[in-house]
Amino acid sequence: MPHTFPGHFPATRLRRARANDFTRRLARENRLSVDDLIYPVFVTEGEAVDVAAMPGVRRHTLDGLIREAAEAVELGIPALVLFPVIDPSKKTPDAAEAANPDGLIPQAIRAIKAEFPQLGVMTDVALDPYTSHGQDGVIDEDGYVINDPTIGILVEQMRAHAEAGADIVSPSDMMDGRIAAMRQALEGDGHVNTVIMSYAAKFASCYYNPFREAVGSAANLGKADKRTYQVDPANTDEALREVALDLKEGADMVMVKPGMPYLDIIHRVKETFGVPTFAYHVSGEYAMLKAAINNGWLDERAAVLECLMSFKRAGCDGVLTYFAKDAARWLAE
């Protein structure tokens, strides 16, 4: 039902409640806190290096990862999400390394949980860091990603993460039917409390390019794209169908990716389903903000907190953001 707004000027002056700090605080409709933040971290088998396209972001060794985890705990950030940088020699057409129970991500999970059992550990269930062709699944002779065989590999990757102690597994591959297969495997293996946060509405966006540099998949992908499995940026109803299917198959939480260009999708998802809804403030969004900040065109604190508040206003319960540590510090002040 449409709202009816009573009142007229001068009896109603909306500026009255804006005149003082305390009234602005009392009337504030949405609030951002450290509890809303998930911190993405890149972990590598090689040397720790900066990501050129993402100023301030690094590929961390396992030792560096533990230092990042310690800082997150100190700041009160609830969870990290891990992304692997795999040695090129381990990349194959079938992404076999992704399911290695002693691989980089299972090692990272166990290391974090040994030091900080209270810190939530979320993992990306996806094959593109592990494939020699850079796609999120196995491909046929024409380069088309084959759905059903890919699901089997993803399930084994997810199993390796769950066995290592991951609290949340987060499939970002966009294969049809993968949530049902993963939920069935988790239940069968006794991991009944392992949460699935599905990348339910992941769009075929240009905003992922700095991330692909960070995980080392850009060169493998080359000039190919992912439009045969990620959602067309022009579509909203299709995105809601994706979310509905993932929830029906057993997803506990859902994610929209990218973030700010898709606030309308976030709002529709939250209004339609009323489930825990998250956004990924992706690498391209981070890089754009950092470029403007480093050129002196934007104030970093003001710009970042306004962006993060926009997610809350749209309906998000939380945000994956590379600004998580900075935001946590600012919010504590």
Side-chain angles (χ1 to χ4, degrees), residues 136-299:
D136 290 73
V138 292
I139 59 175
D140 63 15
E141 60 275 9
D142 298 317
Y144 182 80
V145 174
I146 313 170
N147 195 92
D148 296 8
T150 295
I151 290 175
I153 302 170
L154 290 165
V155 168
E156 293 309 309
Q157 180 187 26
M158 183 268 318
R159 273 196 164 113
H161 296 180
E163 289 290 339
D167 301 291
I168 303 174
V169 291
S170 193
S172 64
D173 56 285
M174 292 301 289
M175 296 299 110
D176 291 332
R178 89 274 203 215
I179 300 300
M182 291 180 189
R183 177 53 69 203
Q184 182 178 5
L186 287 170
E187 291 290 317
D189 293 347
H191 296 297
V192 298
N193 288 327
T194 301
V195 172
I196 297 178
M197 182 192 291
S198 168
Y199 286 66
K202 182 178 180 179
F203 289 82
S205 171
C206 68
Y207 286 93
Y208 306 146
N209 288 350
F211 174 92
R212 290 171 184 162
E213 177 190 321
V215 298
S217 66
N220 301 94
L221 186 63
K223 294 183 178 180
D225 59 48
K226 302 186 178 185
R227 295 181 183 276
T228 65
Y229 47 98
Q230 295 177 353
V231 181
D232 189 319
N235 297 350
T236 60
D237 291 341
E238 181 184 4
L240 263 68
R241 292 179 66 194
E242 288 279 9
V243 173
L245 285 168
D246 283 3
L247 290 171
K248 186 175 182 179
E249 291 177 16
D252 304 287
M253 304 172 175
V254 296
M255 188 196 306
V256 176
K257 182 182 179 185
M260 287 189 66
Y262 296 86
L263 293 177
D264 60 319
I265 308 298
I266 294 166
H267 182 70
R268 286 195 68 188
V269 168
K270 190 64 174 182
E271 287 288 298
T272 302
F273 301 105
V275 298
T277 302
F278 294 77
Y280 198 147
H281 196 208
V282 299
S283 60
E285 299 173 71
Y286 176 87
M288 288 193 302
L289 280 168
K290 274 293 188 181
I293 290 160
N294 290 341
N295 275 287
W297 299 333
L298 289 175
D299 175 80

